[in-house]
Amino acid sequence: MSVAFAASCAALPHAVAGEAGRIVFVTGEVQVASRAAVLDSAVQEGDELSTGAQGYVYMKTVDGGFLILRPNSKARIIAYKVDAANPANTRVKLELLSGVARSISGQGVKLSRQNYRFNTPVAAIGVRGTDFIVSTDQQTSRIAVVSGGVVVSGFAGACRPEGGGPCEGTASRELFAGQRGMLLQVERGQNIPKLLNSPASNPDKVVPPRPDEPSGQAATTVPATPGSGVSLDAQKDNSKQIAKAAVANNANNNNNNNGGTGVPPKPTVVVPVPVPDVPKGPEVIWGRWERIANTPPDPAVIERLSNPDYNQGYVLGAYAVRRQLTSNLVLPTEGTASFALQSGEATLQRTGGDALGATIGDASLKVDFGKKTFVTSMMVYSPETQMKVTGVGDVFSKGDLYNQAVSNSLIRGYLSGDKGTAATFIFKSRNDPNLTAEGITQWTR
C-alpha cells in the first residue's frame, strides 16, 4: 500500500468506525441527520444531508474525496467503508434523493471503482473517473462529467436500487468529459440512458456552484479524454483553506441577506505543488491488485498502481492499466496494422465459484488508424473450461483503446511505443452466461 494512499485514508482528524467524512464548508440552512450542520462535524454512514434554498455543504470523505450538495437538495450516505489494505473490501454507496450534487472520488474509490455506486430515484451511476455532477427529481436524472467518466443505467432487470457497484451491460451507457456539452438523461421506466447535447440542462446551469466549490484537482485531476489524466496528488489538499474561508464566506452571506454592505465571497486560491522530475519508467503499467480466489492483494502491485507519475487509467474487475502522464503518442492517420500477442494473463470464473488462473491463445488484434477503430479476438483457457473473447472498439487521439458497453466484452487500454507500435489492454467478458473472463494482454507489431 502506498504512503500517499494510506495518508489520504487518514486525512480527516478523529475519524471513527462508520464515519464517511466531515463537513469542511457550510452556509445557509443545512442539516445532517436532522441536526444543523456545523464545521468539522462528522457525517456517518446512514446519515441524510439536506440543504435549504440558500444552503451549500461540502463534505470531505475519509479517503480524500468530496460530496457537495447545492441548494434544495437531499442525499444519503448509505455506505462508506474504505479498506486501504485490501481495496477489494471497499464499499461506497451514495444516494441523491433530489436536487443537485457533485461527487469527486477519493483515493479509496479510485482503487475500487467496481465497488462504488451512486443512486438517484431512477438511475445507477458508476465511475470510470472521479468527478461528475447530477441533478434529479423523482422522474428524471441528468448527469454531466467534469473529468473522467461515468457508466449509467436505468433500474431494470439485474440493475436494482439495492445493488452495489456499477450496472454494466447492453442497457448501460458511458459518458466522458471529452464529450463536451453532452449529458446522460434517465427518465423513470427508461432502461437505456439517452445521450443529450443540451448545455441548458447541465446541472451547473440548473443550480450554479459557488465560486469556492472544490475542484476535482484538489484531490486528483482526471482526464479530459478517457484514460488520460495527471497526478493523483498534483495539488496540496485544500480542505483547511476551505474551512478557514467558511467563516468569512458565511459572514459575507449574512451581510448580504441582511441588506448590509458585505462583498461576495472570494474563491479559495489553491497553489499547485510543483511535481519533481522522476526517472522515466515504463510507458504503460498494469497490475492485478486482487489476487486469484480471494487471496490477499499484492502490496507491491498496489504501490505500483498508486504511482502519481501515471494517469488515472482504467480498472476492470481485478485488473488495472495506467499510462505515463508524460506520454506524447502521435498515431498514424492512415493504414492498418496487425499486432501479435507478446504476453498476457487471465482468470475464468464460473457463476458462484472462485476465479481460476487461465492462459490466452489464438489471439489477434488489428487497428485501423484511418477509421480509428480496433478489433480483437482470443481464447481464454483454464484447466476446466474455455471461452472466446471478442471486441470491437474505438481508438482515441491519444491512443486509448475503448469500446462501449453494448456487448458482453469490455476492453480498456492504450496504444504505446513509437507511433503506436505496441498495445496493452485489460478486458472483462461474459460471452458465456455462466462464465466471466478477466485479463491483461500486451502486444507488439
Side-chain angles (χ1 to χ4, degrees):
M1 180 180 62
S2 72
V3 173
F5 185 20
S8 69
C9 292
L12 294 178
H14 316 304
V16 297
E19 182 176 314
R22 287 185 175 262
I23 303 300
V24 296
F25 178 87
V26 60
T27 185
E29 182 183 350
V30 178
Q31 290 192 321
V32 176
S34 301
R35 300 183 302 273
V38 295
L39 281 177
D40 200 39
S41 60
V43 179
Q44 307 291 336
E45 290 182 301
D47 281 353
E48 186 174 285
L49 296 83
S50 62
T51 59
Q54 303 297 324
Y56 289 81
V57 63
Y58 307 164
M59 181 190 86
K60 186 180 180 187
T61 62
V62 292
D63 61 335
F66 285 94
L67 175 66
I68 297 162
L69 287 190
R70 296 178 187 169
N72 294 319
S73 302
K74 183 179 294 185
R76 182 180 297 121
I77 313 298
I78 298 176
Y80 215 105
K81 293 181 172 65
V82 174
D83 189 335
N86 188 354
N89 292 334
T90 292
R91 294 291 183 273
V92 175
K93 187 173 183 181
L94 310 174
E95 183 178 26
L96 178 63
L97 302 170
S98 61
V100 176
R102 182 174 176 184
S103 175
I104 303 173
S105 298
Q107 190 76 334
V109 171
K110 295 171 200 169
L111 289 179
S112 189
R113 287 178 276 190
Q114 76 284 358
N115 293 328
Y116 172 93
R117 166 76 74 85
F118 189 110
N119 276 351
T120 74
V122 298
I125 305 169
V127 288
R128 302 301 194 212
T130 60
D131 192 346
F132 63 94
I133 308 171
V134 183
S135 65
T136 194
D137 54 25
Q138 294 302 306
Q139 299 299 319
T140 305
S141 296
R142 296 186 179 97
I143 302 97
V145 178
V146 179
S147 55
V150 294
V151 54
V152 180
S153 178
F155 291 128
C159 184
R160 308 300 302 166
E162 60 271 16
C167 291
E168 298 174 310
T170 57
S172 64
R173 291 293 180 266
E174 295 175 314
L175 177 66
F176 287 89
Q179 298 165 270
R180 298 191 182 281
M182 305 301 289
L183 305 171
L184 282 177
Q185 175 179 287
V186 181
E187 296 181 304
R188 183 171 293 279
Q190 174 186 341
N191 295 346
I192 302 176
K194 291 181 180 179
L195 185 63
L196 303 178
N197 186 357
S198 180
S201 300
N202 190 298
D204 272 346
K205 299 294 185 181
V206 176
V207 183
R210 287 175 55 87
D212 57 8
E213 184 168 287
S215 165
Q217 295 178 346
T220 177
T221 35
V222 203
T225 56
S228 66
V230 298
S231 170
L232 294 178
D233 295 300
Q235 297 188 13
K236 286 184 177 179
D237 173 35
N238 70 345
S239 62
K240 291 183 179 178
Q241 297 184 42
I242 294 172
K244 290 179 180 178
V247 175
N249 289 339
N250 282 331
N252 285 329
N253 288 338
N254 290 335
N255 286 337
N256 291 333
N257 292 338
N258 295 329
T261 58
V263 295
K266 295 181 179 180
T268 300
V269 178
V270 181
V271 179
V273 178
V275 179
D277 292 331
V278 295
K280 185 175 178 63
E283 185 176 355
V284 176
I285 59 174
W286 66 273
R288 176 166 44 82
W289 55 266
E290 182 181 33
R291 300 180 72 183
I292 293 175
N294 297 321
T295 56
D298 187 343
V301 172
I302 301 296
E303 180 73 26
R304 182 168 71 249
L305 293 177
S306 298
N307 190 331
D309 301 313
Y310 290 79
N311 68 3
Q312 184 65 29
Y314 297 111
V315 175
L316 288 177
Y319 290 88
V321 61
R322 302 177 66 194
R323 184 171 56 191
Q324 267 195 345
L325 297 170
T326 56
S327 175
N328 191 24
L329 178 66
V330 177
L331 294 177
T333 58
E334 58 184 6
T336 61
S338 294
F339 291 73
L341 182 68
Q342 294 299 299
S343 62
E345 70 168 66
T347 64
L348 273 175
Q349 184 174 16
R350 290 191 181 276
T351 302
D354 287 337
L356 302 176
T359 58
I360 300 172
D362 301 323
S364 66
L365 171 65
K366 295 182 179 180
V367 174
D368 188 322
F369 291 104
K371 296 181 179 179
K372 295 181 172 56
T373 59
F374 73 89
V375 58
T376 188
S377 174
M378 70 192 83
M379 292 297 299
V380 180
Y381 303 92
S382 78
E384 298 179 355
T385 187
Q386 63 185 43
M387 189 174 83
K388 188 172 185 178
V389 174
T390 60
V392 176
D394 298 315
V395 179
F396 286 80
S397 60
K398 298 299 183 181
D400 294 59
L401 301 173
Y402 186 91
N403 72 329
Q404 290 286 343
V406 294
S407 69
N408 292 326
S409 296
L410 296 174
I411 293 171
R412 306 287 185 267
Y414 304 101
L415 292 173
S416 57
D418 183 22
K419 298 183 179 180
T421 56
T424 304
F425 67 74
I426 55 179
F427 64 87
K428 184 172 183 177
S429 179
R430 291 181 179 172
N431 282 336
D432 184 319
N434 299 314
L435 284 174
T436 299
E438 296 179 3
I440 174 81
T441 57
Q442 295 181 291
W443 311 73
T444 59
R445 283 205 238 173

